[in-house]
Each structure stands twice: as structure tokens, then as C-alpha cells.
Amino acid sequence: MQRLLPPVRMPARYIESVTDDQHGLAMSGASTAAARHYDQAVDGLLHFRVEVAAETKAALADSPGFPMGNVLSAYLGLLTTEADDARKARARFTAFRRRSRTRRSSRRCRRRAPSGS
């Protein structure tokens, strides 16, 4: 298979922490333990196992800023038929997005600050 675009190489200063999942795909913001919990949660979801929620919570407890863990948590909250659970999932994911924007914004400000001041 021919690649149309070359792979993107990110400078190290832009990568907080990158861990590979069970398929070798890079996941940012996850510790090795969080990635393992995430893999087990996705596997549990695909095979209709009850430990999905517990593994997702464990991944987020270990790495609260883990984007895919937060996405999975929101997705699980939206699968429910309970309106209150869906509202809580939306609120948690909205809070995560705000925190993520704030961190990105503060990193940009630090990079733009003149050195030696």
C-alpha cells in the first residue's frame, strides 16, 4: 500500500507523554497503567463484559488528563437510558475540554514569553 503523506514527527517539546495501546497506536496523556486499563475497558466493551466502567475509571484515576479515557467515559455515560447519567457524562467531558484548553493556552503563553525577562 502506498502512503500519500509522510508520517508526522512531533518535536519532543510538544509531546507530554505518549504510550502505545495494545495495537501499537500512540495515545497521549496516558501512563502505561492507564493505557493498560483503557485497553481492558475497550476489550470489555467489545465483548460485553461488566468491567468496562471500572477499567475506564481506573484509567482516569491514574491519568486524569488522558484524552481517550475521557472520551470513553463520556461515551459510556451516553449509552445509558438515564437522562441524569447522560447529563453527568456531558458535564464531565465539558470540564475535561475546558481543562485541556487551559493547559494548551498556558503552554502557548510560556513558549511566546521572551527569554531572560
Side-chain angles (χ1 to χ4, degrees), residues 54-68:
E55 290 294 342
T56 302
K57 285 179 184 175
L60 290 176
D62 190 75
S63 297
F66 173 29
M68 290 305 296

Side-chain angles (χ1 to χ4, degrees), residues 7-106:
V8 176
R9 303 234 187 264
M10 294 289 290
R13 67 179 182 265
Y14 296 119
I15 301 172
E16 291 176 14
S17 83
V18 176
T19 305
D20 291 345
D21 70 0
Q22 64 185 338
H23 304 289
L25 301 173
M27 293 189 300
S28 62
S31 68
T32 303
R36 188 176 58 251
H37 287 297
Y38 175 81
D39 283 337
Q40 291 171 349
V42 170
D43 189 61
L45 180 64
L46 294 173
H47 295 96
F48 303 101
R49 296 189 186 123
V50 296
E51 66 269 4
V52 176
E55 290 294 342
T56 302
K57 285 179 184 175
L60 290 176
D62 190 75
S63 297
F66 173 29
M68 290 305 296
N70 280 281
V71 169
L72 181 58
S73 177
Y75 176 73
L76 294 174
L78 296 175
L79 284 176
T80 183
T81 57
E82 299 296 323
D84 191 47
D85 289 343
R87 276 192 289 277
K88 288 177 186 174
R90 181 180 183 177
R92 280 193 314 269
F93 193 69
T94 299
F96 163 72
R97 289 185 65 199
R98 277 193 200 112
R99 287 190 312 270
S100 295
R101 275 190 233 130
T102 302
R103 279 196 303 267
R104 281 195 311 260
S105 175
S106 68

